[in-house]
Amino acid sequence: MLRTAALAALPVLAAAHAAPVVSTFGPLRNRAMPRLSGRGRPDHVALTFDDGPDPRSTPRFLRLLAEREVRATFFLLGREAQRFPDVVREIAAAGHEIGVHGWLHRPLLLRGPRATYDDFARARDTVATITGQTPSLFRPPYGVMSTAAHLAAHRLGLTPVLWTCWGEDWTAHATPESVHRVVTTDLDGGGTILLHDSDCTSAPEAWRATLGALPHILETCEGQGYQVGPLCEHGWRDDAYGLTRKATACRGVSGRRP
């Protein structure tokens, strides 16, 4: 009887675990879950990068952003941060915000609660050790959340945030022109842009298209009257945990603001 009941409960538990996957659908998420999408103040655009750090590519993005006097939010993979701590310190020293993208770039739906928690904690603690500041932002691989991921993020003080527009810059056929076109198709004030400063989970050298597109994306934002900066200057509120991020200058690294 107990075994039968347990088997009967499995579909229910699986459905509960996967329920947050609905947030993966961008148009629905942007309308129904603006906070999770990173929707902020209407005169500002949040610029974010995933999958770094990479010593071949990330410093090039940092130089370009420094030339433009723009700061961004970098969501780092814990394993890559451990491999390239000097690049992590370079990101922080340049005044950029740092969040975590998990330890490994693997779908969260395939992980149970313990494995999910351990993955997040390892990534968070690795970045904290390198920078001296504890990250407070989290972006799930592939933008797919699970119930276990929400619970682990809450326990670890990590706020999930996705995006409102992206560049499809991970593909082999991406070009600077295509990345700019795709980003700006859905770009508006208060939006959050997702780009990649590394090709560790993308087509080889895909980051070059992103780097080529970035000046044009920044110019488009400027032409439309949008300020560009990190999420901590974006004026958005946590969708899940009720913490407020004010539209004021934020600390240059990943730590929680007082």
Side-chain angles (χ1 to χ4, degrees):
M1 180 67 70
L2 290 176
R3 181 179 181 184
T4 301
L7 290 174
L10 285 177
V12 177
L13 294 175
H17 177 65
V21 76
V22 68
S23 65
T24 307
F25 183 57
L28 173 63
R29 180 182 73 241
N30 292 344
R31 291 194 304 269
M33 308 172 193
R35 295 170 183 168
L36 181 61
S37 298
R39 177 65 63 183
R41 55 192 175 96
D43 64 337
H44 190 269
V45 168
L47 179 62
T48 70
F49 296 92
D50 285 6
D51 291 359
D54 187 324
R56 299 175 305 127
S57 53
T58 302
R60 303 184 190 221
F61 285 87
L62 296 179
R63 286 195 292 272
L64 191 156
L65 292 171
E67 291 169 0
R68 300 282 177 140
E69 298 184 340
V70 171
R71 293 193 298 166
T73 301
F74 287 79
F75 288 95
L76 306 183
L77 289 168
R79 183 180 66 176
E80 303 307 302
Q82 184 183 65
R83 292 177 64 197
F84 309 116
D86 288 345
V87 183
V88 178
R89 284 188 280 266
E90 187 176 355
I91 295 170
H96 300 288
E97 184 178 32
I98 296 178
V100 293
H101 199 32
W103 181 260
L104 296 173
H105 202 280
R106 293 178 180 171
L108 296 177
L109 288 178
L110 303 180
R111 297 183 177 188
R114 185 64 195 183
T116 299
Y117 179 89
D118 290 347
D119 180 275
F120 293 7
R122 190 178 183 188
R124 183 200 65 172
D125 294 348
T126 296
V127 171
T129 298
I130 295 170
T131 66
Q133 301 289 340
T134 302
S136 61
L137 299 180
F138 167 71
R139 176 171 286 161
Y142 307 106
V144 178
M145 290 293 287
S146 66
T147 297
H150 277 293
L151 293 174
H154 181 61
R155 287 178 61 193
L156 292 165
L158 295 170
T159 300
V161 58
L162 301 181
W163 58 86
T164 63
C165 59
W166 60 11
E168 294 183 1
D169 56 344
W170 58 87
T171 65
H173 61 265
T175 65
E177 293 74 23
S178 74
V179 174
H180 175 264
R181 182 181 66 254
V182 175
V183 166
T184 55
T185 295
D186 294 322
L187 179 67
D188 62 355
T192 292
I193 300 172
L194 162 63
L195 297 171
H196 296 81
D197 63 304
S198 167
D199 63 9
C200 71
T201 65
S202 305
E205 305 298 308
W207 60 267
R208 295 186 183 275
T210 309
L211 188 66
L214 187 54
H216 305 296
I217 293 171
L218 295 176
E219 289 162 6
T220 296
C221 290
E222 182 180 1
Q224 295 183 12
Y226 303 140
Q227 300 175 36
V228 179
L231 281 160
C232 60
E233 293 179 349
H234 198 41
W236 62 291
R237 181 185 291 273
D238 291 352
D239 68 310
Y241 312 132
L243 303 175
T244 300
R245 299 184 180 280
K246 299 178 182 178
T248 57
C250 57
R251 297 179 62 178
V253 291
S254 55
R256 296 184 181 84
R257 296 167 56 197

